[in-house]
Amino acid sequence: MKRHRFEPARLISGLTALTLGTGYGLDALGLWQAPGLWLFLALPAGLFLSGLTAAVRATTRRGTSPPTEPPPASHI
């Protein structure tokens, strides 16, 4: 399997979407009474945090060299 770079901004975006989907799903099933303002503000807050994380990561990686490929594993 090919290895991919770790991208924390995508992780935060995915967790935000998962949290919102779970909240709306539980609210639709009647298992949890979600405060409307919380769900409404969670999306912009998550996207802002994701963008901020991407910007910080881009500025910290600017001075470093690109990652090299790891050597292939030998099967004995």
Side-chain angles (χ1 to χ4, degrees), residues 38-66:
W38 180 84
L39 288 177
F40 182 70
L41 293 178
L43 180 63
L47 291 177
F48 174 75
L49 186 59
S50 177
L52 185 65
T53 304
V56 168
R57 179 145 168 101
T59 56
T60 58
R61 289 186 53 90
R62 186 172 296 168
T64 62
S65 63

Side-chain angles (χ1 to χ4, degrees), residues 20-35:
L20 286 172
T22 303
Y24 278 117
L26 289 175
D27 192 28
L29 291 173
L31 298 173
W32 180 54
Q33 186 63 32

